[in-house]
Amino acid sequence: MDKLLSKIESPRDLQGLSNAELEQLAGEMREVLCNLVSTRTAHFASNLGVVELCLALHTTFDFSRDRLIWDTGHQIYPHKLITGRYHEFGTMRSKGGLMGYPNPNESDYDLFMTGHAGSSISATLGLKAGDDLLPGQSDRRAVCVIGDGAFPSGIVYEAMNNAGGLGKNLLVVLNDNQMSICPRVGGLGQYLDRLRVNSLYTGLKSEVLKILNKVPLFGDPAERFLAQLKESIKAGLHGGMLFEELNFRYIGPVDGHNITQLRKYLDMVKDVPGPVLLHVVTEKGHGFQPAAEDPVFFHTPPQFTREEEGILEFKKSSSKAYTNVMSEAIFKQMEANGKVTVMTAAMCQGTKLEKVRAAFPDRFFDTGICEAHTVAFAAGQAKAGLRPIVDIYSTFLQRTYDQIFQEVTLQNLPVTFLLDRAGLTGPDGPTHHGMFDLAYLRVLPNMVVMCPGDAFDAVAMLDFSLGHDSPCSMRYPKTAAQRVEGSRTPIELGRAEVIDWGHDGMIVACGTLLPSCIEAAAGLREDGLDVGVINARFVKPLDSQTILRAIATCPFVVTVEEAALMGGFGSAVVEAATDAGISTAHVRRLGIPDRFIEHAERGELLADLGLDPDGIAQACRQMSARCDVKKPDRRRVS
Ligand SMILES: Cc1ncc(C[n+]2csc(CCOP(=O)(O)OP(=O)(O)O)c2C)c(N)n1
């Protein structure tokens, strides 16, 4: 089946292949990509779109020595297929298997473990600057591939400014498929559209080839480049002045699915001195019609089966996720209050805001992959008197820490931060686990930090935050929303909710692991241990009264959070107890230890970290056994 692909152990094996064989190989690679997504959820349309580009790059450069960075890294699959990982490809994104992003532990062809967009030009420029300073390294070429969705990120212009000033030899391949996850937005995208209508790309493909054929294939690269430039200007085919003004040579647009042409272009620019931007036009989802027609859905589709006539059957989950609960809650808030606005940094689909976008087009803002701008933009709206919501993944909020500090908390502006994908995101792995937000948000004065225990809390907390005159944040994971039974207390600033009080010990649950804590307590009760549960709700302000009463009076206390232990909720509890002069020797903190967590299903990771009901119950049993000899009154420090 994979006649050619199965023999490719490394990019060196591509060297003898003709353009026709490379095209055949591209077909085989697409087949493997399609087979993968029929077994699991994985990045798909972006990978289908870069197959030819990947082959052209690896046949023009030698990346065992030259440098290559794929921006973001979600389109790394074709690269993995031809850099020695074909035989393990089926393990992609599963526990112990290949990572869905570049991973230097898997291959020397992957330079950085990344999953966040926009940093590729900076990192590649850094590699080049480093290689140029080290003896015998300056011949190493430096290439990065960046999508038009990632391209508006602020850091890209910091890097281009630096590269244009340094004049380093650097090739930036702009992979323009007119899509981020959703259709790309903003003025820069419109500029790229104008470049696309440049006759070099539209209609005049034969003209392109004529020009290329006039350019000598051998000889001084700078001269070859100038010859090409002269010919294209003569034909009125040159554009990209924005990049030229930044001291980049702009070439393109080029058809990114024509291997022959791509290789000619890459060969032409590979030794051009100074920074070059090669504008390559691709189709997201290329080669698999349903994905090309709906690249938004097929960015990371649910597992599906292909049928004869191309009809697809999707493996859909019937449960409602926290993301859905919150997008519906946002919708209702916007319906009720014309001052509520919502912002997403290119994650409209992931945060399920499509209905909000359609219903409130003037109060919905997709800013593109520009998190820092998004937060300052929200601050401006809050200052003007609106009630902005920043709906963002926990891990991407890290991009904008300074704006949260300066523009929001320092001004004490009422911006609401909804942190989706908080905690362990599962198969995306360490680049995407949202584990640091509690630690980095709770240190900021004025910031209210909330963790809903279930869907009831999540909706009520949004309502609370939109009536509160300070910045508020709340977090929830990527999982099915749960609801704790029984009558619930309303959300009150800095007040926890006592689910039950236990005489043998207490679990203090911070966040949506609350139902697991309740399940653990129920199991312990069957074993004869009376362990109660507190739903902490607030990390800041902490309900010291309730939580410290538990520490002062109960034989043991276990805190539970799906976040980094260092600086997180348990730390806040221990700090508060220490400040109050209460011993914490009988307090145990459960959460994410001080290391990066690999990829696997969220449930597998929770179990590995002792954060599932069994693990929580086990920790309680251990604490109970350990604290048995000690009595609560001995713990109070005088
Ligand atoms: C800082 C950051 N914000 C958001 C994302 C989520 N994200 C992953 S891929 C993607 C779209 C990238 O578009 P583009 O660079 O054009 O690549 P394409 O998928 O179109 O090939 C987004 C928004 C991210 N990875 N990093």
Side-chain angles (χ1 to χ4, degrees):
M1 175 89 157
D2 301 330
K3 267 174 58 188
L4 291 172
L5 184 55
S6 56
K7 295 197 195 96
I8 308 293
E9 297 289 337
S10 95
R12 265 184 287 276
D13 299 329
L14 300 171
Q15 290 313 327
L17 300 184
S18 65
N19 283 331
E21 284 170 320
L22 288 172
E23 273 162 27
Q24 184 191 328
L25 182 61
E28 292 180 15
M29 289 164 75
R30 284 209 167 83
E31 194 56 28
V32 174
L33 294 174
C34 289
N35 289 339
L36 178 73
V37 282
S38 64
T39 63
R40 71 192 46 148
T41 291
H43 286 106
F44 186 46
S46 314
N47 282 295
L48 288 175
V50 296
V51 174
E52 288 82 9
L53 179 58
C54 176
L55 289 173
L57 281 166
H58 277 284
T59 48
T60 308
F61 294 84
D62 171 10
F63 292 116
S64 64
R65 183 149 183 85
D66 296 333
R67 312 294 205 161
L68 174 64
I69 296 188
W70 294 89
D71 195 273
T72 316
H74 63 302
Q75 75 297 55
I76 195 83
Y77 297 14
H79 166 96
K80 291 203 180 197
L81 278 174
I82 56 167
T83 50
R85 286 165 278 183
Y86 162 76
H87 295 287
E88 296 163 83
F89 202 69
T91 67
M92 181 72 78
R93 281 166 66 92
S94 61
K95 191 176 176 186
L98 292 178
M99 194 174 163
Y101 290 93
N103 182 356
N105 302 324
E106 287 173 12
S107 166
D108 291 342
Y109 284 96
D110 296 7
L111 296 177
F112 283 82
M113 184 186 284
T114 58
H116 285 200
S119 301
S120 61
I121 306 181
S122 301
T124 311
L125 181 64
L127 284 163
K128 187 65 199 150
D131 287 339
D132 281 356
L133 280 174
L134 293 169
Q137 302 294 313
S138 60
D139 60 309
R140 301 178 90 156
R141 300 181 186 88
V143 182
C144 60
V145 180
I146 181 164
D148 56 309
F151 203 58
S153 307
I155 185 175
V156 167
Y157 299 90
E158 297 175 28
M160 289 184 73
N161 177 50
N162 197 184
L166 290 174
K168 293 275 172 209
N169 297 355
L170 169 77
L171 173 61
V172 176
V173 178
L174 172 59
N175 171 31
D176 177 3
N177 56 21
Q178 294 188 298
M179 298 295 296
S180 186
I181 294 179
C182 293
R184 66 164 178 231
V185 291
L188 199 69
Q190 289 166 16
Y191 177 67
L192 295 180
D193 282 340
R194 288 198 291 279
L195 291 179
R196 266 172 179 254
V197 295
N198 177 334
S199 51
L200 184 58
Y201 185 68
T202 53
L204 288 180
K205 302 233 170 92
S206 55
E207 195 65 34
V208 174
L209 288 175
K210 245 194 282 166
I211 288 172
L212 281 175
N213 289 335
K214 279 190 191 173
V215 178
L217 271 180
F218 303 101
D220 178 53
E223 272 174 24
R224 286 196 287 139
F225 173 76
L226 286 174
Q228 189 263 357
L229 196 64
K230 212 167 85 196
E231 291 301 328
S232 54
I233 288 171
K234 254 200 279 172
L237 304 179
H238 192 62
M241 293 317 288
L242 177 66
F243 308 116
E244 295 276 335
E245 298 288 346
L246 291 172
N247 284 349
F248 270 70
R249 296 264 175 235
Y250 169 86
I251 315 239
V254 183
D255 180 351
H257 298 298
N258 182 332
I259 295 187
T260 311
Q261 207 186 98
L262 267 179
R263 292 178 77 196
K264 276 196 173 184
Y265 268 94
L266 287 170
D267 197 53
M268 185 176 71
V269 298
K270 90 177 191 193
D271 288 317
V272 166
V276 173
L277 188 135
L278 180 67
H279 184 180
V280 172
V281 172
T282 60
E283 179 186 43
K284 197 160 173 170
H286 190 76
F288 183 64
Q289 200 56 26
E293 280 168 10
D294 188 357
V296 176
F297 181 80
F298 283 91
H299 183 83
T300 321
Q303 186 183 329
F304 65 82
T305 44
R306 280 186 293 163
E307 288 175 5
E308 289 279 307
E309 311 81 30
I311 302 165
L312 310 171
E313 198 177 282
F314 292 100
K315 196 174 158 190
K316 276 198 187 137
S317 133
S318 53
S319 49
K320 196 176 201 179
Y322 279 105
T323 306
N324 298 84
V325 170
M326 292 317 291
S327 67
E328 285 168 18
I330 292 169
F331 192 100
K332 286 192 184 132
Q333 293 287 351
M334 291 180 78
E335 211 170 29
N337 181 353
K339 287 192 174 170
V340 177
T341 58
V342 68
M343 260 128 283
T344 174
M347 299 307 288
C348 178
Q349 189 226 25
T351 51
K352 304 265 182 281
L353 286 175
E354 291 101 333
K355 283 190 184 147
V356 170
R357 179 176 61 190
F360 309 101
D362 52 340
R363 286 187 283 138
F364 165 90
F365 300 92
D366 181 350
T367 52
I369 308 181
C370 303
E371 289 82 5
H373 156 70
T374 309
V375 171
F377 180 49
Q381 293 190 14
K383 187 84 176 176
L386 298 179
R387 298 298 313 220
I389 298 169
V390 176
D391 194 354
I392 191 163
Y393 288 13
S394 164
T395 186
F396 301 147
L397 191 68
Q398 288 157 201
R399 278 286 168 97
T400 175
Y401 195 51
D402 196 54
Q403 286 68 34
I404 303 173
F405 154 47
Q406 293 261 314
E407 275 71 26
V408 179
T409 54
L410 188 58
Q411 325 298 323
N412 199 15
L413 287 169
V415 175
T416 293
F417 294 93
L418 299 187
L419 276 61
D420 202 321
R421 275 36 170 204
L424 300 161
T425 49
D428 275 329
T431 57
H432 282 62
H433 294 319
M435 39 192 269
F436 307 112
D437 54 272
L438 293 185
Y440 72 70
L441 289 176
R442 81 178 184 88
V443 294
L444 292 167
N446 293 328
M447 178 66 90
V448 172
V449 182
M450 296 181 280
C451 290
D454 69 348
F456 169 87
D457 278 1
V459 174
M461 281 177 182
L462 176 63
D463 191 57
F464 166 86
S465 76
L466 291 172
H468 186 73
D469 279 331
S470 288
C472 288
S473 71
M474 55 181 282
R475 71 193 304 260
Y476 38 89
K478 183 188 184 189
T479 190
Q482 284 177 280
R483 223 194 123 126
V484 169
E485 295 304 322
S487 66
R488 306 291 302 279
T489 57
I491 301 295
E492 239 182 275
L493 182 65
R495 282 296 289 275
E497 180 186 41
V498 178
I499 305 287
D500 337 83
W501 200 264
H503 292 101
D504 293 329
M506 290 295 283
I507 302 172
V508 188
C510 175
T512 54
L513 294 180
L514 174 66
S516 300
C517 294
I518 293 174
E519 192 183 325
L524 290 167
R525 228 164 274 138
E526 281 172 19
D527 296 350
L529 263 188
D530 178 23
V531 175
V533 178
I534 294 172
N535 173 16
R537 282 185 169 165
F538 287 82
V539 175
K540 184 181 174 178
L542 189 74
D543 185 349
S544 305
Q545 210 188 351
T546 307
I547 296 170
L548 296 191
R549 179 160 80 91
I551 297 179
T553 62
C554 295
F556 71 84
V557 167
V558 170
T559 65
V560 180
E561 63 198 298
E562 194 179 334
L565 279 171
M566 205 174 271
F569 170 73
S571 298
V573 167
V574 170
E575 284 165 19
T578 306
D579 289 351
I582 300 171
S583 168
T584 55
H586 60 304
V587 176
R588 168 122 179 239
R589 296 173 300 129
L590 300 186
I592 303 176
D594 182 24
R595 63 178 170 83
F596 291 110
I597 306 298
E598 61 282 11
H599 60 279
E601 290 304 322
R602 178 167 171 271
E604 293 175 317
L605 295 175
L606 287 172
D608 287 353
L609 295 171
L611 291 171
D612 62 342
D614 279 353
I616 296 166
Q618 182 63 12
C620 290
R621 274 190 213 100
Q622 285 167 358
M623 288 305 285
S624 176
R626 209 172 90 183
C627 301
D628 222 15
V629 282
K630 300 177 187 164
K631 291 286 168 260
D633 53 277
R634 286 180 48 204
R635 280 180 219 110
R636 194 176 274 285
V637 175
S638 55

